Amino acid sequence: ALVYCSAVITEALRLYPSLPGFVRTLTKPVKVGEGSEEYTLPIDTYTYMPFWLIHRDERNFERATDFLPERWVKKNSEGKWEERDAAKGKKQSDQQAVSDEKKVCDADSVVQVGAGNKNAFFAFSTGGRSCAGEKFAKLETVLVLASILKKLDFSWKEGWDLKVMHASTGQKPSDMVPIMVSVR
């Protein structure tokens, strides 16, 4: 159950990262693009990494705007949830491996969806400046979610749709979230 809770948290962070992106100043030249489209960005160039857009790009995530925790997990032969192997370090250009994993997982998954591309998941940033507390934060969040769900049921008003407001430093719902909570 905790494996699936972790997938729910990861998918929530994919669709609604706490920050819509980040800015970095290049410390060395970086080549972007390919062939005639290749361009070198010089040192001291300000760059913006738009998580919100990358996480919703169909080239990175099949059915990118849908909330599908199953893109991160699959059921094994014993019917238990486990992390999807294809989601570990696959580049989206490695289409055959992603396609092969999808064929394997589709038979075992509740929802048929290709594995998530971890190389395109930036909720905690990436590289040398990524969040040092990522593993602790994810573990703590999963344990708190599991503890809460063990004791409470949640539902929301039928037909309600989340509309996110992008603030300067983060994201939040644009209006009240109509959630009903009841004891199990």
Side-chain angles (χ1 to χ4, degrees), residues 58-60 91-101:
E58 291 284 334
R59 293 173 293 183
N60 297 319
K91 292 184 179 177
Q92 197 60 19
S93 60
D94 190 1
Q95 289 295 328
Q96 187 57 48
V98 172
S99 176
D100 291 348
E101 172 67 10

Side-chain angles (χ1 to χ4, degrees), residues 16-55:
Y16 303 103
S18 58
L19 296 173
F22 67 74
V23 176
R24 292 283 189 258
T25 304
L26 297 181
T27 58
K28 59 183 178 183
V30 174
K31 288 185 181 182
V32 294
E34 297 177 348
S36 65
E37 300 289 319
E38 187 174 284
Y39 181 77
T40 301
L41 299 172
I43 295 173
D44 294 329
T45 299
Y46 289 104
T47 61
Y48 178 69
M49 178 76 73
F51 304 152
W52 183 267
L53 296 175
I54 293 167
H55 290 174

Side-chain angles (χ1 to χ4, degrees), residues 100-179:
D100 291 348
E101 172 67 10
K102 182 180 173 194
K103 289 174 192 168
V104 171
C105 294
D106 283 349
D108 300 328
S109 296
V110 175
V111 176
Q112 294 185 359
V113 63
N117 180 357
K118 285 191 176 178
N119 285 334
F121 178 75
F122 301 107
F124 290 92
S125 188
T126 186
R129 293 187 178 185
S130 65
C131 177
E134 175 181 359
K135 288 184 180 187
F136 175 73
K138 286 178 81 174
L139 177 62
E140 185 176 43
T141 305
V142 167
L143 293 175
V144 168
L145 176 63
S147 297
I148 290 171
L149 292 177
K150 191 174 182 180
K151 298 177 182 179
L152 303 172
D153 278 323
F154 295 84
S155 60
W156 56 87
K157 184 178 175 182
E158 194 170 321
W160 176 79
D161 188 31
L162 177 65
K163 292 173 183 58
V164 176
M165 179 177 80
H166 299 284
S168 62
T169 59
Q171 301 177 72
K172 64 180 186 176
S174 60
D175 200 359
M176 301 259 309
V177 180
I179 295 178

